[in-house]
Amino acid sequence: MPMPSAPVHVIGAGPGGLATAAALAHRGIRAVVVERSSDVGASWRGHYDRLRLHTTRRGSALPGLPIPRAAGRWPARDDFVRYLEDYARHHRLDLATGVEVFRVDRAGQDGGWILEATGGRRLRAGAVVVATGRNHTPYLPDWPGRDAYTGDLLHAAAYREPGPYAGRDVLVVGAGNTGAEIAADLAAGGAERVRLAVRTVPHILRRATLGWPAQVSGILCRRLPVRLVDRLARPIERTLPDLTAHGLPRPDTGLYSRVREGAIPVLDAGLVRAVRRGRVEPVGAVVSFDGPEVTLADGAVITPDTVIAATGYRRGLEPLVGHLGLLDGRGLPLVHGRRTHPAAPGLHFTGYSTPISGMLRELARDAPRIAAAIAART
């Protein structure tokens, strides 16, 4: 296989970037992984302490190296970070850490790409894989009065463990997986009162039912018609207690219909029990702040000591590739995986979808496909 005139540059040393670099190396194609932090798996290192994967050990491994059995069926955050470190060493990946890429541009009529990076670097690339991930930039809504709030306000990205909040009144905003787990963690960790602000009622599933992982169901169902999966999911959801009397009713919308819109179901890691026991109180969405007060959508006014915003992330791709016309209105790539946009041949994206079958599984499947597409162009 002839080598391209310049190496492939992979931007981001998370699971997607590492898997793609390994797949390229397997084909004899030199790849350099450029990472703005000091080590691999930066976003994973920043997650809260109690985090465990919602996908199984086998269903979360990257190509060419299994996750050790010692990590258990549902690997913890630290186990997965160690796995990423081992993965980079095992495949002898070429890592350039502490280097942030700000902009990607075409190199001219000769083909290839130029990456503008820290220190005035201009890196020449034969092809580029953008793998900076969905959780790139913490998003904090611009609530009226937010900047004048006199309590503590932080994004969930800054939350680690419940110790600092013992004996405090805490409002967690956002009922996705992150918000649900943080609320349950606070309730078990000694917070005096925990409320969970819910804008859209989530679909809640067990991580496994009678030993059957929810991820496997997602893999089997992802090719089925949306309405059929919506109907099949209803009895599975009803294996969990109905929390309507506690302020968290079952959603009216179909589960898979919501997934197609980008909303992943909440896999229960303690929230249901905490709500039933009154340790976590579902409340309305946040509308505004006024000094120490927080006004909710139902008109209630509360005065929590701390507000933790589990309000998601932005992809942060606009400065990097926004000028190339490759993003949709939500800032997501128009093409993904092995496909490239006609206006940008040789520029790939991985890790920006929300598959019901598990993000890590799809990253692992994308990697050899992207490598094959790049190899076909060299």
Side-chain angles (χ1 to χ4, degrees):
M1 179 71 65
M3 292 294 292
S5 57
V8 177
H9 278 67
V10 180
I11 306 174
L18 297 179
T20 304
L24 288 163
H26 181 71
R27 288 181 170 270
I29 299 174
R30 185 189 170 207
V32 178
V33 182
V34 184
E35 168 58 45
R36 65 176 179 172
S37 67
S38 60
D39 211 335
V40 302
S43 65
W44 288 89
R45 295 173 191 275
H47 286 310
Y48 44 94
D49 292 351
R50 72 168 273 165
L51 176 71
R52 285 187 175 271
L53 300 185
H54 289 310
T55 50
T56 63
R57 182 184 73 253
R58 290 185 178 182
S60 305
L62 305 178
L65 186 70
I67 298 175
R69 291 177 60 87
R73 195 182 195 192
W74 315 101
R77 178 201 64 186
D78 291 346
D79 291 327
F80 190 66
V81 169
R82 280 192 291 271
Y83 169 70
L84 295 179
E85 294 170 346
D86 292 342
Y87 191 86
R89 285 192 294 267
H90 176 81
H91 290 286
R92 299 181 180 180
L93 301 182
D94 188 352
L95 297 174
T97 57
V99 178
E100 182 174 3
V101 177
F102 299 114
R103 183 180 173 97
V104 176
D105 276 307
R106 295 297 300 270
Q109 296 181 350
D110 294 337
W113 298 88
I114 295 292
L115 282 60
E116 297 182 11
T118 49
R121 296 177 177 89
R122 288 176 58 83
L123 310 174
R124 179 70 181 262
V128 177
V129 181
V130 180
T132 52
R134 291 184 62 88
N135 295 350
H136 184 271
T137 306
Y139 170 69
L140 196 62
D142 189 19
W143 291 297
R146 184 194 74 183
D147 294 339
Y149 176 56
T150 56
D152 295 325
L153 173 63
L154 64 148
H155 190 272
Y159 176 84
R160 293 295 174 269
E161 50 93 17
Y165 309 97
R168 295 176 68 83
D169 183 339
V170 185
L171 173 67
V172 180
V173 184
N177 277 291
T178 298
E181 289 201 30
I182 289 177
D185 197 30
L186 288 164
E192 176 66 25
R193 186 175 189 179
V194 181
R195 283 174 279 207
L196 179 64
V198 181
R199 183 181 63 178
T200 304
V201 179
H203 290 271
I204 305 177
L205 299 174
R206 299 183 191 276
R207 190 164 55 185
T209 303
L210 299 176
W212 182 267
Q215 180 189 13
V216 177
S217 298
I219 293 170
L220 296 176
C221 291
R222 65 174 306 189
R223 302 297 181 188
L224 297 177
V226 173
R227 291 184 180 179
L228 174 60
V229 178
D230 285 346
R231 289 198 298 270
L232 293 173
R234 291 192 190 108
I236 298 174
E237 290 184 83
R238 293 193 177 99
T239 63
L240 281 165
D242 186 358
L243 301 177
T244 301
H246 301 278
L248 200 62
R250 298 189 192 277
D252 296 328
T253 55
L255 183 148
Y256 199 25
S257 297
R258 290 277 301 281
V259 170
R260 296 294 292 269
E261 296 171 358
I264 295 297
V266 169
L267 298 183
D268 183 40
L271 176 68
V272 171
R273 176 181 294 182
V275 170
R276 292 185 74 191
R277 293 182 175 181
R279 296 293 294 126
V280 172
E281 307 167 43
V283 297
V286 170
V287 173
S288 62
F289 291 78
D290 184 9
E293 299 178 340
V294 180
T295 301
L296 305 178
D298 60 4
V301 177
I302 61 176
T303 55
D305 300 315
T306 302
V307 175
I308 300 175
T311 46
Y313 296 79
R314 293 295 181 261
R315 281 14 98 192
L317 292 172
E318 288 81 2
L320 191 67
V321 298
H323 57 286
L324 298 173
L326 307 179
L327 306 178
D328 65 15
R330 298 174 296 168
L332 293 170
L334 294 171
V335 294
H336 196 269
R338 61 189 174 94
R339 296 175 53 225
T340 61
H341 195 278
L347 178 58
H348 297 263
F349 296 87
T350 185
Y352 298 95
S353 62
T354 53
I356 195 173
S357 52
M359 172 66 76
L360 293 172
R361 177 182 183 270
E362 296 310 315
L363 289 174
R365 289 164 59 86
D366 263 349
R369 296 169 180 168
I370 293 172
I374 291 173
R377 296 184 64 249
T378 60

